[in-house]
Amino acid sequence: MLTSNRMKGLHPYVPGEQPKDRIYIKLNANENPYAPSVKVQNAVTEFIKQHPEKMGLYPDPDSNELHAAIADMLNKTGGVLCRAKVDGDKVTPSDEDKIPFTVTPDMIYSGNGSDEVLSFVFYAFFDSSTKFVMPEFTYSFYPVYAGFYDIPMDNVPLKSDWSLDTQEMLKRASANKGGIIFANPNAPTGLGLKREEVRQMLLKASKDEIFIVDEAYVDFGGESCIPLLKEFDNLVIVRTFSKSLCGAGMRLGYIVASPELVNIVTTVKNSVNHFPIDALAQVAGKAACEDPAYYVECSKKVADERDKFYNFLKEKGFYVLESKTNFLFAKHPAISGDDLYKKIKEEGLLIRHFSTPGIEEFVRITIGTAEQMASLKAAFEKVLKQAGL
Ligand SMILES: *Cc1c(COP(=O)(O)O)cnc(C)c1O
């Protein structure tokens, strides 16, 4: 055989389709329907015009300016955009989201999308000799990394209402001594745990094991665990520019954690790729963080459309989970998830269907603009009518 034995452990992630054959309204990959802020567009254009020579030089390996901007944005928004208060250009956290300390740049590590960040986090904190704990249904990249790094996993089934079984997760974590990871709000369910629920978990979990919370969707209405960093040194919070910061194409993700843990992940990065974030992405990311007011507005719009579509689906007889994210997870008693996905695709819109046993009856619908959601509503009405529903 030409290949290494390790190749047998690889089961690559399958992203939402990006078809080229026809133009679809894309509501299948949880991307943000809005473009990045004009300030981002200007910063990138100016950078190329004013400093073309910088494209020929290595970027800052530690993205220092970007980290300062991320920390500043978190302090201004409380880490939950859709509840932050905007007064002109001034942005302040809602009372419930206010972080009880100042997030400093040395608490931030960033990388080429949170997928890459997660990969280094897995490498740094999970071990091949011990199982780590994760929910049975969560972000489907976690099992991919488990295979990549040959780390055994312990999948804990969700409760019957699709929420995380926090007690069982803790029980297994204390038996395995291998750490814990989950997304909050979770994907693909969209359900979120309250900060106090996570705090209770952390109080009971071992301080010697890593506790990773992936907050990819928290800006759309979840509760961020950043305030808990004051109390817990074993907590790593993973976040991304891809969803609430309209930046999936910029490939930027980051962690918020103690400076000690940030240094550990930086060591992994420096052993794989010194420069995961190119010069342009650093400029774009910094500019995005400097315009929180724009992103607050975008995430409020997305959250509003989500709640409207939630009500529509309910009226149409769907079982819909109460989402704190930019997507809805829903199923209908009389039409299969696969059927619905295919029929909606015929209407020119893409939503996501997972054939994974246990969730195959559901579809996952990314929330788009008001216009896109009106088209989706029309498509749903047509398809349901054709099915006699
Ligand atoms: C989208 C998503 C990510 C990955 O984001 P990128 O920064 O685009 O790599 C990570 N975690 C969860 C739960 C996600 O949904």
Side-chain angles (χ1 to χ4, degrees):
M1 275 301 276
L2 281 173
T3 60
S4 66
N5 280 327
R6 281 190 300 271
M7 285 305 292
K8 296 194 194 90
L10 293 196
H11 305 284
Y13 178 73
V14 185
E17 57 192 318
Q18 307 274 5
K20 310 248 177 331
D21 57 325
R22 148 173 190 191
I23 297 177
Y24 291 93
I25 296 180
K26 263 190 101 277
L27 300 172
N28 68 334
N30 293 346
E31 291 144 317
N32 200 301
Y34 300 104
S37 148
V38 174
K39 290 184 184 166
V40 172
Q41 302 170 31
N42 291 343
V44 169
T45 334
E46 282 305 300
F47 178 77
I48 295 178
K49 269 199 214 142
Q50 305 294 328
H51 302 289
E53 78 289 354
K54 287 204 179 165
M55 294 301 282
L57 303 173
Y58 286 111
D60 173 7
D62 296 314
S63 304
N64 285 301
E65 290 186 31
L66 175 63
H67 292 183
I70 292 172
D72 193 43
M73 172 193 61
L74 293 173
N75 291 321
K76 282 179 175 149
T77 61
V80 186
L81 286 168
C82 94
R83 274 194 299 269
K85 293 184 268 189
V86 179
D87 182 7
D89 270 353
K90 198 171 175 314
V91 178
T92 45
S94 70
D95 294 341
E96 59 184 303
D97 297 314
K98 202 168 179 338
I99 301 170
F101 59 90
T102 303
V103 179
T104 48
D106 59 355
M107 297 174 71
I108 310 292
Y109 164 84
S110 63
N112 189 254
S114 63
D115 285 339
E116 188 207 54
V117 171
L118 280 163
S119 156
F120 294 166
V121 164
F122 267 65
Y123 186 89
F125 301 115
F126 291 153
D127 233 301
S128 54
S129 59
T130 331
K131 290 189 225 174
F132 70 94
V133 168
M134 65 170 207
E136 183 184 4
F137 296 113
T138 186
Y139 186 39
S140 45
F141 226 127
Y142 307 153
V144 175
Y145 289 133
F148 187 81
Y149 292 118
D150 199 14
I151 309 164
M153 50 190 174
D154 195 351
N155 288 327
V156 177
L158 299 181
K159 294 200 282 196
S160 58
D161 63 358
W162 301 94
S163 65
L164 300 190
D165 191 343
T166 55
Q167 286 198 2
E168 183 62 22
M169 286 170 71
L170 278 175
K171 206 166 101 190
R172 304 248 197 123
S174 87
N176 301 339
K177 303 192 185 332
I180 215 168
I181 184 168
F182 56 90
N184 188 43
N186 196 21
T189 62
L191 299 176
L193 291 175
K194 290 186 180 313
R195 175 160 56 243
E196 184 54 30
E197 292 177 276
V198 180
R199 182 168 172 270
Q200 289 304 322
M201 288 179 85
L202 275 154
L203 284 171
K204 289 175 199 135
S206 160
K207 305 284 171 287
D208 297 330
E209 282 134 37
I210 206 73
F211 198 106
I212 303 166
V213 181
D214 184 342
E215 295 192 345
Y217 299 106
V218 77
D219 278 316
F220 300 104
E223 292 191 10
S224 175
C225 289
I226 294 174
L228 302 179
L229 288 168
K230 195 180 163 131
E231 247 178 301
F232 303 99
D233 286 334
N234 58 330
L235 173 61
V236 174
I237 294 165
V238 183
R239 302 177 54 116
T240 177
F241 281 61
S242 295
K243 315 292 165 45
S244 54
L245 292 174
C246 312
M250 286 158 36
R251 307 309 304 130
L252 284 173
Y254 60 97
I255 69 170
V256 195
S258 71
E260 290 71 28
L261 299 189
V262 163
N263 281 336
I264 290 169
V265 183
T266 306
T267 302
V268 179
K269 184 234 359 162
N270 288 339
S271 312
V272 181
N273 178 5
H274 225 82
F275 304 105
I277 309 184
D278 64 77
L280 275 178
Q282 291 191 32
V283 168
K286 176 169 177 274
C289 295
E290 287 168 355
D291 193 8
Y294 172 78
Y295 296 99
V296 168
E297 190 196 333
C298 291
S299 43
K300 282 190 204 290
K301 283 196 276 195
V302 168
D304 280 354
E305 287 303 320
R306 173 197 66 210
D307 295 344
K308 279 196 241 162
F309 208 76
Y310 173 91
N311 290 334
F312 166 74
L313 289 173
K314 282 272 197 185
E315 277 164 27
K316 291 290 170 190
F318 279 84
Y319 171 76
V320 202
L321 298 183
E322 231 165 280
S323 170
K324 304 279 187 206
T325 65
N326 67 339
F327 60 83
L328 289 164
F329 200 52
K331 62 178 178 177
H332 196 282
I335 181 163
S336 79
D338 189 42
D339 232 25
L340 186 58
Y341 153 76
K342 285 185 181 137
K343 298 229 159 85
I344 295 295
K345 186 171 178 180
E346 283 168 21
E347 298 302 313
L349 297 108
L350 291 178
I351 56 175
R352 188 106 196 245
H353 172 252
F354 299 92
S355 45
T356 321
I359 54 170
E360 73 275 27
E361 288 309 311
F362 283 88
V363 288
R364 192 196 66 187
I365 303 160
T366 302
I367 305 304
T369 61
E371 236 184 333
Q372 291 174 326
M373 297 317 284
S375 303
L376 186 65
K377 197 170 158 191
F380 265 70
E381 270 165 347
K382 184 169 167 191
V383 166
L384 292 173
K385 200 167 165 198
Q386 276 169 355
L389 298 166

